[in-house]
C-alpha cells in the first residue's frame, strides 16, 4: 500500500460570529458554564448568502490554489459532511463544477459525522489506488458542516456546542509512512434526524470519546512504528477541550502537541480537523517533513485515526505569493 502525504490546506469560515454571551440571551446559559465545560468561547454560523455548499467550495478553492496544481491533476474528490447544500448533487459535485475538475474521476460525499475527514482521507487513498492514474495522484478532501440549521436553538444542552465551517486538504500518493484506524459502534448516543434537531446523550458521548481517542491514536502509531514522541502534532476533532485534556493525561502526553481551536469555532464535526490543519499551516507551525496524527470521533458512533507526513511542497504556491 502506498503512503499519502499532505500537500495543501484551505478553509471556508462563515462570517457570522456568535459568542457565548450571544447564546446566553437566547437560552439559560452563561459564558462561564460553556467555557469551563467545553473550552468554547464562540462559534461561527452561516450568514445570509452562505451555506455548506459555499463554504466547501471556498475551502476547496483555497487548497487547490495553495497547492499550485492544475485542476486536471486532481484524481478524486470526497466531501465529508452530514449537512451539504443538497442531498443530490453532492457537495463534492458542486466543488467539481465550481473548480472545473476532471469528469472521469470519482466525486462523492461521505457521512461518518465527526470522524468524516479521517474516513474520507482513507477512502480517497483507496480510490486513487483503485482508479487513479499516474498523472493524477492527488485527492481533494473536504470536511464541511452547516450544523446551525440542524440545531434546536432552545435546547441549551446542544445549541452551545456546535458551529459551521469547512476545511479542505490535498493529499498525494507517495512512499512516506501512512496509517489509518477506522471503526464504528452502531449507537444512538448522537442522533440527527432528517432536518434535525441534533439530540445527544452528552455524558455517554464523553465516555466514548475519552476511550476511542487514545485507542485510535495508539493503533495508528503501532502501524507506523512510531511513538507519541515522534509526532510533531496531534490534531483531534475539536468537540470539547476537556475531552482532549482527559486524553492527554491518560496518554501522559505533551499537551503542547495537541492543537486546540474549539474556543473560536465550537464543534464543527467533519470540518474541525481540516480547519485546524489549515490554521497550523497558515501560522507556519505545520512544516514540511513533520509527522502528524489526526483523530476523529463522534456520531455513529464512529472513530478514525490516521498518521501521515507533511509534504515538502506544503502550500508552496501560497508561500510564493507571500
Ligand atoms: N448552560 C448551563 N447549564 C447547562 C447547559 C448549558 N448550556 N447545558 C446543560 N446544563 C445543565 C444541565 O441541565 C445540568 O443541570 P442539572 O444538574 O440541574 O440537571 C447540568 O448543567 C449538568 O449537565 P451535564 O449534562 O451533567 O453536564 P456535563 O458536565 O456532562 O457537560 C457536556 C455537558 C455536553 C458539555 C458534556 O457531557 C460533554 O462535553 N459531552 C461530550 C459532548 C460532545 O463533545 N459531543 C460531540 C462529540 S462529536
Amino acid at each position: 500500500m502506498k503512503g499519502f502525504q499532505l500537500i495543501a490546506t484551505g478553509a471556508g469560515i462563515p462570517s457570522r460570529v456568535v459568542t457565548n454571551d450571544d447564546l446566553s440571551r437566547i437560552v439559560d446559559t452563561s459564558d462561564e458554564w460553556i467555557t469551563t465545560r467545553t473550552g468554547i468561547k464562540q462559534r461561527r454560523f452561516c450568514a445570509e448568502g452562505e451555506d455548506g455548499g459555499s463554504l466547501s467550495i471556498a475551502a476547496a478553492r483555497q487548497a487547490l490554489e495553495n497547492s499550485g496544481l492544475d485542476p486536471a491533476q486532481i484524481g478524486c474528490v470526497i466531501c465529508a459532511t452530514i449537512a451539504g447544500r443538497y442531498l443530490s448533487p453532492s457537495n463534492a459535485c458542486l466543488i467539481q463544477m465550481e473548480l472545473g475538475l476532471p469528469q472521469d474521476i470519482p466525486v462523492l460525499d461521505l457521512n461518518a459525522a465527526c470522524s468524516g475527514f479521517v474516513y474520507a482521507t482513507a477512502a480517497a487513498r483507496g480510490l486513487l489506488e483503485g482508479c487513479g492514474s499516474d498523472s493524477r495522484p492527488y485527492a481533494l478532501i473536504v470536511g464541511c458542516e452547516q450544523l446551525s440549521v440542524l440545531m434546536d436553538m432552545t435546547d441549551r444542552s446542544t445549541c452551545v456546542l456546535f458551529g459551521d465551517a469547512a476545511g479542505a486538504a490535498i493529499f498525494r500518493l507517495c512512499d512516506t509512512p501512512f496509517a489509518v484506524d477506522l471503526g464504528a459502534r452502531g449507537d444512538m448516543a448522537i442522533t440527527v434526524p432528517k432536518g434535525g434537531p441534533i439530540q445527544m446523550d452528552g455524558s455517554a458521548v464523553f465516555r466514548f470519546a475519552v476511550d476511542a481517542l487514545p485507542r485510535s491514536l495508539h493503533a495508528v502509531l503501532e502501524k507506523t512504528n512510531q511513538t507519541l514522541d515522534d509526532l510533531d502534532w496531534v490534531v483531534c476533532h475539536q468537540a470539547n477541550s476537556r475531552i482532549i485534556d482527559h486524553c492527554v493525561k491518560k496518554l501522559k502526553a505533551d499537551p503542547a502537541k495537541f492543537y486546540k481551536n474549539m474556543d473560536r469555532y465550537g464543534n464543527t464535526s467533519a470540518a474541525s480537523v481540516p480547519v485546524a490543519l489549515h490554521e497550523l499551516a497558515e501560522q507556519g507551525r505545520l512544516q514540511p517533513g513533520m509527522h502528524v496524527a489526526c483523530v476523529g470521533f463522534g456520531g455513529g458512533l464512529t472513530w478514525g485515526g490516521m498518521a501521515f507526513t507533511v509534504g515538502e511542497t506544503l502550500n508552496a504556491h501560497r508561500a510564493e505569493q507571500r
Side-chain angles (χ1 to χ4, degrees):
M1 270 280 234
K2 281 190 174 168
F4 217 27
Q5 196 172 63
L6 176 70
I7 64 147
T9 62
I13 305 298
S15 51
R16 185 175 157 214
V17 176
V18 179
T19 65
N20 291 347
D21 286 335
D22 292 335
L23 290 180
S24 70
R25 287 188 276 276
I26 303 172
V27 287
D28 181 14
T29 190
S30 64
D31 176 47
E32 197 267 338
W33 193 95
I34 303 169
T35 305
T36 53
R37 303 289 172 120
T38 70
I40 298 166
K41 298 292 287 181
Q42 63 175 48
R43 70 287 295 140
R44 301 288 187 115
F45 287 173
C46 285
E48 214 180 310
E50 297 171 333
D51 72 354
S54 65
L55 297 184
S56 59
I57 291 163
R61 193 187 302 282
Q62 189 176 32
L64 187 64
E65 285 173 4
N66 284 350
S67 73
L69 293 174
D70 188 284
Q73 291 175 277
I74 299 294
C76 86
V77 187
I78 304 187
C79 181
T81 184
I82 62 164
R85 179 180 293 171
Y86 307 112
L87 286 175
S88 184
S90 64
N91 253 12
C93 281
L94 300 181
I95 293 166
Q96 178 193 32
M97 253 187 282
E98 288 292 325
L99 270 55
L101 301 177
Q103 295 188 1
D104 53 343
I105 60 171
V107 177
L108 68 145
D109 283 2
L110 177 153
N111 174 352
C114 306
S115 313
F117 180 74
V118 177
Y119 263 71
T121 307
R125 187 180 68 150
L127 282 173
L128 278 186
E129 281 211 310
C131 14
S133 65
D134 289 346
S135 59
R136 287 180 185 156
Y138 302 98
L140 174 57
I141 302 145
V142 180
C144 167
E145 306 291 9
Q146 187 183 2
L147 298 176
S148 58
V149 294
L150 293 174
M151 288 194 291
D152 174 356
M153 292 308 291
T154 64
D155 176 7
R156 69 177 182 174
S157 71
T158 53
C159 77
V160 301
L161 301 176
F162 300 98
D164 302 339
I170 296 179
F171 277 75
R172 179 175 81 94
L173 282 179
C174 63
D175 293 324
T176 53
F178 179 80
V180 286
D181 169 65
L182 305 178
R185 180 176 93 198
D187 190 299
M188 301 294 279
I190 310 173
T191 311
V192 189
K194 280 183 183 164
I198 297 171
Q199 294 149 19
M200 185 176 66
D201 176 346
S203 45
V205 176
F206 195 97
R207 283 195 304 277
F208 163 73
V210 296
D211 173 55
L213 198 165
R215 257 193 311 111
S216 201
L217 187 53
H218 271 308
V220 288
L221 288 175
E222 208 168 291
K223 289 182 187 182
T224 50
N225 285 322
Q226 289 174 307
T227 68
L228 268 173
D229 289 341
D230 297 317
L231 294 177
D232 296 287
W233 288 107
V234 181
V235 179
C236 301
H237 169 46
Q238 304 287 308
N240 181 316
S241 184
R242 284 194 307 146
I243 290 176
I244 295 179
D245 294 345
H246 207 283
C247 294
V248 166
K249 214 166 152 192
K250 204 165 172 178
L251 292 159
K252 298 189 175 60
D254 175 3
K257 286 187 180 183
F258 286 66
Y259 188 67
K260 287 183 185 173
N261 66 5
M262 73 286 286
D263 57 327
R264 282 167 290 128
Y265 301 112
N267 177 347
T268 60
S269 191
S272 78
V273 169
V275 167
L277 289 173
H278 179 66
E279 280 199 343
L280 279 170
E282 285 289 288
Q283 294 161 9
R285 297 201 282 160
L286 194 65
Q287 293 287 335
M290 281 187 165
H291 299 287
V292 180
C294 297
V295 190
F297 52 85
L301 296 168
T302 56
W303 68 88
M306 64 178 175
F308 60 87
T309 309
V310 179
E312 286 306 317
T313 58
L314 178 73
N315 290 347
H317 190 66
R318 169 92 172 105
E320 276 166 27
Q321 289 166 346
R322 278 198 189 116

